[in-house]
Amino acid sequence: MPPSAALPSPAASTTADDWSPRLALLVAATFFMEFLDGTVLTTAIPSIAADFSVPSADVNVTMTAYLMTVAMGIPLSGWLAERLGARRVFCLAIATFTVASLLCALSQDLAMLTLSRVLQGAGGAMMVPVGTLVVLRGTAKKDLLRATAYLVWPGLLAPVLAPLVGGALTTFLSWHWIFLINLPLGLAAFLAALRLVPGTAGDRARRLDWLGLGLTTLGVGSVVVGLELAGGRGSGALAALSITAGLLFLVAAVWWMRRARSPLFDLGVFTARTFRATATGGFIYRLTISAVPFLLPLMFQNGFGWDPLHAGVLVAAVFIGNIWIKPATTPLIRRFGFKPVLVFASLASAATFALCALIDAGTPEPLIFALLVASGAFRSIGFSAYASVQYADVVPAQLPSANAVSATLVQLATAAGIAIGALLIRVYEAGGPLPGGAGAAGGDPAAPYRAAFLAIAVVMLLSTLDSLTLPRHAGAEVSRPGQAPAAAPPRRPRA
């Protein structure tokens, strides 16, 4: 049996002509809702705390619960899609997310809001990988760049827009509207999914690897909790313990799945160098770019003394850079190939981070704006390239595993970026040994943030080094179909 026959296809007659921009746009819209709700509550925390008569710090549990549920639910979503059918699970995910949003808006206390956020996270955990799988299965390799161009924009825009959206809704309406706005969007997405997503029967005989699921879920959950604790204050020992425990669980999960007859994930996907890039240089890239939307508003407000609106307008420059360059990302990858584009994007991003460390409150704002537009553009190029190259050499039978592993890594990288950004600031504020630490606390209030930007610029260079080791024609089947030799195919997955 060929690898492509190992899984039912959503449409038996799927061809290159079946590429559907409308379906990709629908999936991207659901992703945007999920990604946005992961961080949009940040600006509403004081209002929620006042309504529930609890300390603001206690409201953070609602964000942690959501992010942890999304990360822990992703490994199960791939199996559900194969067992029940991708269309059924995707529609269920949208419905769950929408109903949970209503429950969040109706919450009368912190406990109910937290439980509703857990349910919302469960819906989000299914939307992300199952939606991607639906698009990937109906897209030929030659159209993969166009498909991923639709799918990557939520991850680029949501972290930048979340503070602005959350702040506007909370200021002019109330925090409840952060969730109520999902109701018409969710209903529209549900109806569109019924029409656009191909319906297929699931494989009822497919068994679930319970041990693999348990180890993976515990591992991912522990790492996410540890990273959230690391981003707070006064929880260093507990954060380290949680992250260590999570990594041990994940190591055990890998050990088990390499030996199980029907593992939760087919780890053979890692034999493809282009997919491994998502766990090496791609993970580092996403980690560093996730730290930027966190660091910039803090530097502008705490370091420069600007008000939130002033800071938000400048941070919006990153969003403008993302959008401005987006039409050019696919032509750039087709013209130069994945390897040169990834090397350039990481080097250019590292340079913009280093330049952010040089600005201060007296720097002309048009210059700051131009720098952040450039940073957003390079961010978009690299993000798009990684999102496409990771599936370039994955055979159809491995798509569910590759998709779920990639979605999990994206969640971990995002959480790690924010946590590391917060940790760097604390280290430098305390007079840490790295550049900017000694005089940060008592001198320039922006010094800890400058040092943090320098640190993530250095970390980004690790992504550059990884990209340099990619084969010359990595992902050529996707970037230059019919024009360049494709990379060597991955080894046949183990039966």
Side-chain angles (χ1 to χ4, degrees):
M1 177 182 293
S4 59
L7 290 173
S9 173
S13 61
T14 296
T15 67
D17 295 332
D18 291 325
W19 148 246
S20 172
R22 290 189 300 169
L23 176 58
L25 189 59
L26 165 65
V27 172
T30 61
F31 288 5
F32 185 76
M33 291 197 309
E34 188 273 317
F35 291 145
L36 189 69
D37 276 49
T39 53
V40 73
L41 273 189
T42 303
T43 51
I45 283 177
S47 297
I48 296 173
D51 280 2
F52 292 161
S53 300
V54 297
S56 293
D58 292 354
V59 182
N60 283 333
V61 69
T62 62
M63 294 182 60
T64 302
Y66 178 85
L67 294 172
M68 184 176 68
T69 306
V70 170
M72 294 176 67
I74 287 174
L76 179 61
S77 64
W79 178 83
L80 284 173
E82 295 177 63
R83 178 67 183 255
L84 303 178
R87 176 187 180 183
R88 186 175 301 168
V89 175
F90 187 58
C91 290
L92 175 63
I94 297 173
T96 301
F97 187 89
T98 305
V99 171
S101 296
L102 176 61
L103 294 176
C104 287
L106 297 176
S107 296
Q108 299 299 309
D109 54 40
L110 186 60
M112 182 178 177
L113 179 59
T114 302
L115 291 175
S116 300
R117 288 282 279 173
V118 169
L119 182 61
Q120 194 184 36
M126 291 186 288
M127 284 198 303
V128 174
V130 176
T132 303
L133 184 61
V134 168
V135 174
L136 292 177
R137 278 178 165 171
T139 304
K141 289 288 180 72
K142 68 183 183 65
D143 295 317
L144 189 59
L145 274 176
R146 288 195 295 164
T148 53
Y150 284 81
L151 298 179
V152 299
W153 67 263
L156 290 167
L157 303 187
V160 179
L161 291 182
L164 181 61
V165 172
L169 291 175
T170 303
T171 300
F172 298 109
L173 296 171
S174 73
W175 64 265
H176 305 82
W177 284 91
I178 289 175
F179 302 108
L180 290 174
I181 198 173
N182 287 333
L183 302 187
L185 297 176
L187 178 60
F190 182 83
L191 295 176
L194 290 177
R195 180 175 181 178
L196 296 176
V197 178
T200 54
D203 180 7
R204 296 284 181 173
R206 184 167 180 83
R207 300 175 60 185
L208 178 61
D209 176 12
W210 287 100
L211 181 56
L213 175 65
L215 291 172
T216 303
T217 301
L218 285 172
V220 171
S222 298
V223 170
V224 170
V225 169
L227 291 171
E228 287 291 304
L229 290 173
R233 293 181 180 272
S235 306
L238 187 57
L241 179 63
S242 182
I243 293 173
T244 302
L247 293 176
L248 290 176
F249 279 126
L250 291 176
V251 169
V254 170
W255 179 87
W256 167 254
M257 284 186 278
R258 289 176 64 89
R259 290 158 177 77
R261 288 187 175 182
S262 300
L264 181 67
F265 298 137
D266 178 4
L267 299 183
V269 294
F270 285 101
T271 61
R273 177 64 181 89
T274 47
F275 183 80
R276 286 203 308 276
T278 195
T280 51
F283 186 89
I284 296 169
Y285 190 88
R286 290 185 176 99
L287 183 155
T288 52
I289 66 172
S290 296
V292 174
F294 171 78
L295 291 173
L296 278 174
L298 292 178
M299 182 171 75
F300 291 155
Q301 294 177 67
N302 299 337
F304 296 177
W306 294 352
D307 60 67
L309 180 60
H310 191 180
V313 170
L314 266 297
V315 174
V318 178
F319 160 78
I320 293 174
N322 288 338
I323 294 297
W324 166 68
I325 199 66
K326 202 73 196 74
T329 54
T330 295
L332 283 172
I333 293 171
R334 291 208 186 281
R335 171 65 178 84
F336 298 103
F338 282 111
K339 180 176 180 176
V341 167
L342 288 172
V343 171
F344 168 76
S346 56
L347 277 176
S349 295
T352 61
F353 300 160
L355 289 173
C356 283
L358 301 179
I359 63 177
D360 55 33
T363 304
E365 290 188 17
L367 189 60
I368 298 176
F369 194 87
L371 172 61
L372 297 186
V373 167
S375 182
F378 301 141
R379 182 175 183 261
S380 182
I381 292 171
F383 201 98
S384 299
Y386 273 117
S388 301
V389 75
Q390 63 185 353
Y391 298 116
D393 301 312
V394 173
V395 296
Q398 295 177 320
L399 271 179
S401 294
N403 186 43
V405 170
S406 172
T408 302
L409 290 172
V410 168
Q411 291 291 329
L412 292 178
T414 302
I418 296 172
I420 289 176
L423 184 61
L424 288 170
I425 292 172
R426 290 207 311 274
V427 168
Y428 299 140
E429 285 178 339
L434 296 178
D444 182 3
Y449 304 98
R450 291 200 186 95
F453 271 110
L454 284 176
I456 65 169
V458 172
V459 173
M460 177 60 87
L461 293 178
L462 298 177
S463 176
T464 306
L465 293 176
D466 181 76
S467 297
L468 287 170
T469 66
L470 284 170
R472 180 182 176 186
H473 295 296
E477 187 179 356
V478 170
S479 63
R480 300 176 181 181
Q483 300 178 29
R491 293 194 295 270
R492 179 80 172 269
R494 181 165 54 89

